[in-house]
C-alpha cells in the first residue's frame, strides 16, 4: 500500500489567503485524523472522522478551520482566512481497527503563513 | 483532561549505551500505549505498542508498562547514531473509544 498521502508537502501563503490541505488515507482504513504540530504545543488533534463522518472537532482552533471527508479516500482541511499563527506542520493519519489504536501518519504539510 | 507527560530532553547517550525514555499518563484506565519515533522533518512512525503490564521486547527495543504507577518506558539497547530522533509516547483513553493522546516527545541524541 502507498501509505497515507498528503498534498501539498509545503505551502507558503500570505496572511488572509485560503489554504486547502489534502489527504488520502490508507485504503480500507475507517478512521482519519488531522493533527497540527508545533514546537510549543506538540502534536494536537484537530478533528477525526469515522466512515467519512466527523466525530469530534473540538480540537479545531476556531471557525477559520474546517474539514470535510466527501468519500472514504479523500479529506480536506481548509483554513480561511489564514494567519501567521497557523504556521505549523499538519499531519493526516488513518487507522483500521479503532479510534484508540495504532495510527499511520502521512508525510505532513509544512504550512508557512507570511 | 487526559495528559501524557514526557521529559523534553535532549537526552544524550554515547553510542552503544542503553537509552531510557519515560512517559507518565493521567488516565488510570488507559489500555493501549504506543511509542512513535520522529526524525527531524519527518512524520511519526510506530516502533512499539504495549497493551499489558510488564515488558515487551522487539529487537533492540523494550517497552515497559507499569499500570500501578501509570508510566510506560522505552529502552533502546546498543544505541546507534541513527536512533537520534524525537520519541513520542501515545496513550488511549480508558473506554478505548477516544483518540490517542500524544506527549510532546523526548529528543534523543546518540553521540558517536
Amino acid at each position: 500500500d502507498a501509505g497515507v498521502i498528503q498534498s501539498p508537502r509545503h505551502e507558503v501563503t500570505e496572511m488572509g489567503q485560503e489554504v486547502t490541505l489534502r489527504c488520502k488515507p490508507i485504503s480500507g482504513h475507517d478512521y482519519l485524523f488531522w493533527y497540527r504540530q508545533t514546537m510549543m504545543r506538540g502534536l494536537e488533534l484537530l478533528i477525526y472522522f469515522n466512515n467519512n463522518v466527523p466525530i469530534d472537532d473540538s480540537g479545531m482552533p476556531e471557525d477559520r478551520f474546517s474539514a470535510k471527508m466527501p468519500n472514504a479516500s479523500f479529506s480536506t482541511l481548509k483554513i480561511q482566512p489564514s494567519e501567521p499563527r497557523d504556521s505549523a506542520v499538519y499531519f493526516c493519519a488513518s487507522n483500521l481497527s479503532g479510534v484508540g489504536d495504532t495510527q499511520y501518519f502521512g508525510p505532513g504539510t509544512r504550512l508557512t503563513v507570511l | 483532561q487526559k495528559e501524557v507527560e514526557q521529559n523534553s530532553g535532549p537526552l544524550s547517550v554515547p553510542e552503544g549505551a542503553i537509552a531510557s525514555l519515560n512517559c507518565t499518563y493521567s488516565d488510570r484506565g488507559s489500555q493501549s500505549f504506543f511509542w512513535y519515533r520522529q526524525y527531524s522533518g519527518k512524520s511519526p512512525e510506530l516502533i512499539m505498542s504495549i497493551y499489558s503490564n510488564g515488558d515487551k521486547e522487539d529487537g533492540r527495543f523494550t517497552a515497559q508498562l507499569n499500570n500501578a504507577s501509570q508510566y510506560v518506558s522505552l529502552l533502546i539497547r546498543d544505541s546507534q547514531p541513527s536512533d537520534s530522533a524525537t520519541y513520542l509516547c501515545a496513550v488511549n483513553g480508558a473506554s478505548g473509544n477516544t483518540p490517542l493522546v500524544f506527549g510532546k516527545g523526548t529528543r534523543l541524541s546518540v553521540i558517536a
Side-chain angles (χ1 to χ4, degrees):
Chain A
D1 203 314
V4 176
I5 298 172
Q6 291 186 248
S7 65
R9 296 292 306 275
H10 301 273
E11 177 82 28
V12 180
T13 190
E14 293 189 346
M15 183 174 63
Q17 296 299 305
E18 178 179 295
V19 175
T20 300
L21 311 181
R22 296 173 177 80
C23 175
K24 175 180 169 55
I26 294 172
S27 177
H29 281 195
D30 294 333
Y31 287 87
L32 182 140
F33 306 83
W34 281 101
Y35 290 90
R36 177 172 68 178
Q37 187 176 43
T38 61
M39 288 292 292
M40 288 295 295
R41 302 175 68 90
L43 199 60
E44 302 175 275
L45 178 64
L46 301 177
I47 185 171
Y48 76 94
F49 295 82
N50 177 214
N51 291 323
N52 314 337
V53 176
I55 303 300
D56 185 353
D57 65 355
S58 60
M60 297 284 260
E62 48 198 276
D63 292 344
R64 297 184 299 106
F65 286 69
S66 62
K68 293 181 180 180
M69 191 166 186
N71 57 62
S73 59
F74 184 65
S75 177
T76 60
L77 178 68
K78 186 175 294 186
I79 308 172
Q80 166 63 18
S82 58
E83 297 182 2
R85 60 193 168 119
D86 301 330
S87 297
V89 181
Y90 291 81
F91 289 107
C92 176
S94 68
N95 80 5
L96 175 63
S97 53
V99 65
D101 212 335
T102 308
Q103 294 180 18
Y104 298 90
F105 285 78
T109 297
R110 181 173 295 277
L111 173 64
T112 303
V113 183
L114 302 174
Chain B
Q1 178 75 17
K2 303 180 183 67
E3 293 184 352
V4 176
E5 300 287 342
Q6 297 181 255
N7 188 320
S8 63
L11 172 66
S12 294
V13 300
E15 184 175 0
I18 296 176
S20 178
L21 306 164
N22 298 310
C23 169
T24 60
Y25 57 96
S26 63
D27 190 341
R28 181 172 291 278
S30 294
Q31 301 172 5
S32 303
F33 307 85
F34 306 87
W35 283 99
Y36 284 80
R37 178 177 61 201
Q38 186 175 22
Y39 291 115
S40 180
K42 302 296 185 182
S43 58
E45 58 176 329
L46 179 73
I47 53 172
M48 289 283 289
S49 59
I50 185 166
Y51 302 95
S52 57
N53 214 37
D55 294 1
K56 178 182 177 183
E57 187 174 318
D58 183 0
R60 296 187 296 112
F61 298 96
T62 298
Q64 299 176 318
L65 174 60
N66 185 320
N67 289 117
S69 301
Q70 294 176 239
Y71 78 78
V72 57
S73 51
L74 179 71
L75 301 179
I76 306 174
R77 290 181 300 281
D78 188 24
S79 296
Q80 302 297 309
S82 58
D83 294 326
S84 298
T86 296
Y87 289 80
L88 304 174
C89 172
V91 179
N92 80 338
S95 70
N97 289 325
T98 55
L100 299 181
V101 178
F102 284 81
K104 290 186 178 180
T106 298
R107 188 156 56 93
L108 172 66
S109 179
V110 180
I111 311 299

